Each structure stands twice: as structure tokens, then as C-alpha cells.
Amino acid sequence: NAGVTQTPKFRILKIGQSMTLQCAQDMNHNYMYWYRQDPGMGLKLIYYSVGAGITDKGEVPNGYNVSRSTTEDFPLRLELAAPSQTSVYFCASSSPGVGSPLHFGNGTRLTVT
Amino acid sequence: AQTVTQSQPEMSVQEAETVTLSCTYDTSESDYYLFWYKQPPSRQMILVIRQEAYKQQNATENRFSVNFQKAAKSFSLKISDSQLGDAAMYFCAYRIHNTDKLIFGTGTRLQVFP
């Protein structure tokens, strides 16, 4: 049981480039999330999804796009990368229910130079 | 706005001693859950403990316990018999019923000295 798998682990982008961060979960969770963690800070919600075909914005969605075509996958797209997007990105999933904990991937460290 | 405040950026404790990490939150809702997550240097996010707002009894998980004061909107984490492996960032978070978002505080870095 792999849980939540994120790829890649590390990436360096040049300003203006685009890329997709991949996230897959094998726990059949309906809910999936993307967070970013800036150095010394907490996690900020970028986008989330409560099921295939349904996505919604979080606290910091600008500069990102998501799609959810399957229950398992929730990719995060960065268009026209900017230095402000340098961060560690975490994908997470959970079952429905306010008490259900989030299960996190190991994160992707992204540097934009 | 829904916010979570962790007022202690850093804390330290001697091995085998007890330490308490503070957390306050702001919500007008009555049905929600509170969580503490641990993030060691490996970057992995690990659930430590959770508390349902409707339960008056404080949650306990082995050496970890919480002091939940609903009226004061306070949710502190007590670590007893601290171990070197407890050194990590600790994040307080909450999730409100009928929303799907987990909102995090800025974290407290805990150092454990032998």
C-alpha cells in the first residue's frame, strides 16, 4: 500500500517555464488537496477536490491549475513559473468526514530561478 | 477569517521532560475537529493526535495529550517523557464540518536536548 505518491521529489525551473506535479493515491479517497509550504511557514492550501470532476480554489490558487479526471490522480499544473512559487509542495488525500485525517505525500521541492 | 495561531516559533525541552506547545484558533462554528501534525526533518507530515470539538474529554495518544479549552479556542499539545525522536516541527490544524479544508498554523519547532 503506497499511500500518496508525489513525483518528482525535486525540480528546478527557469522563470516562465511550466510543469506538472504529479500526485496519486491508492486508498480510494474522495478528497485530495494541494498545499505549499514556504520556508519556516505552515501549509497553505492551493486547490482541493472532493471527487473526480470537482475542484475548488484554496487560499493561494493564483498561478496554478488542477484537474481531477480520476479518483486516484490529482495533478497540479504551474504555468509561467515565478520565483514566488519556490516552495515545497504537498499533496494529501482523505476520506470524507470532518474527523478524517489527511494522508500526505513526501512533498516536491521546487526551485524557480 | 478562519485562522490558527501558534505563538511559539521555537521550543526546547530536555530529554525525559515534559513540554507543552500552544495553539489557538478562530472560528464561529461549533462542529469541527482539531489536529496536531508532526513534521520531522524528513519532511513527512505525520498525524500525532486529533480532537473532536463536541468531546469534552481531552484526547490522549501514548505520550501525547491535548488540553482542549473550547470556550477559549485553545488546543495545546503536551508531550511527556520527551525523546530525541520528538524533535520536529509541530503544526496545529482544524477542519470545520461542512467544509473540506484543513487550515494550518505556522508551526512550532521543537528541539530536544539529551
Side-chain angles (χ1 to χ4, degrees):
Chain A
N1 193 342
V4 179
T5 302
Q6 289 184 240
T7 56
K9 287 187 172 63
F10 304 95
R11 183 71 186 267
I12 298 174
L13 279 182
K14 294 190 185 303
I15 294 171
Q17 287 184 322
S18 300
M19 76 163 294
T20 299
L21 280 64
Q22 301 292 344
C23 176
Q25 53 93 8
D26 62 0
M27 297 173 281
N28 202 31
H29 284 162
N30 288 333
Y31 291 6
M32 294 188 75
Y33 304 80
W34 275 106
Y35 286 88
R36 61 177 285 174
Q37 183 180 25
D38 297 332
M41 301 295 288
L43 279 71
K44 295 286 189 184
L45 183 64
I46 305 171
Y47 271 97
Y48 65 103
S49 168
V50 300
I54 305 169
T55 62
D56 207 348
K57 295 178 181 179
E59 303 165 89
V60 289
N62 292 342
Y64 308 93
N65 279 299
V66 294
S67 60
R68 184 98 182 268
S69 56
T70 67
T71 299
E72 294 78 19
D73 300 300
F74 190 41
L76 177 72
R77 178 83 177 161
L78 279 72
E79 304 282 1
L80 299 175
S84 61
Q85 293 178 305
T86 294
S87 191
V88 178
Y89 291 84
F90 287 95
C91 179
S93 71
S94 81
S95 300
V98 65
S100 297
L102 269 61
H103 299 260
F104 285 85
N106 288 332
T108 295
R109 182 177 295 278
L110 175 68
T111 302
V112 182
T113 61
Chain B
Q2 300 165 5
T3 59
V4 180
T5 302
Q6 294 180 249
S7 58
Q8 306 153 316
E10 290 192 9
M11 293 283 285
S12 60
V13 64
Q14 205 86 22
E15 204 174 2
E17 297 296 309
T18 295
V19 65
T20 298
L21 309 183
S22 301
C23 173
T24 58
Y25 58 94
D26 184 19
T27 180
S28 57
E29 301 291 332
S30 59
D31 186 8
Y32 52 90
Y33 257 84
L34 296 154
F35 302 83
W36 278 98
Y37 278 86
K38 170 186 178 182
Q39 186 180 42
S42 66
R43 212 167 66 193
Q44 188 181 6
M45 293 289 287
I46 302 165
L47 177 68
V48 175
I49 198 166
R50 55 180 163 167
Q51 171 82 41
E52 183 177 6
Y54 274 120
K55 286 192 176 174
Q56 291 187 338
Q57 186 173 5
N58 290 322
T60 301
E61 290 285 347
N62 301 316
R63 298 183 295 107
F64 299 88
S65 61
V66 299
N67 183 4
F68 175 46
Q69 303 288 329
K70 190 171 183 178
K73 296 180 183 175
S74 170
F75 182 60
S76 59
L77 175 69
K78 186 171 85 170
I79 306 174
S80 304
D81 186 24
S82 296
Q83 300 175 359
L84 294 177
D86 294 335
M89 283 289 288
Y90 285 82
F91 292 99
C92 178
Y94 77 112
R95 192 177 192 182
I96 297 171
H97 184 61
N98 288 335
T99 76
D100 310 303
K101 296 178 275 193
L102 190 64
I103 306 298
F104 285 87
T106 52
T108 296
R109 182 174 301 282
L110 178 66
Q111 293 180 304
V112 182
F113 294 102

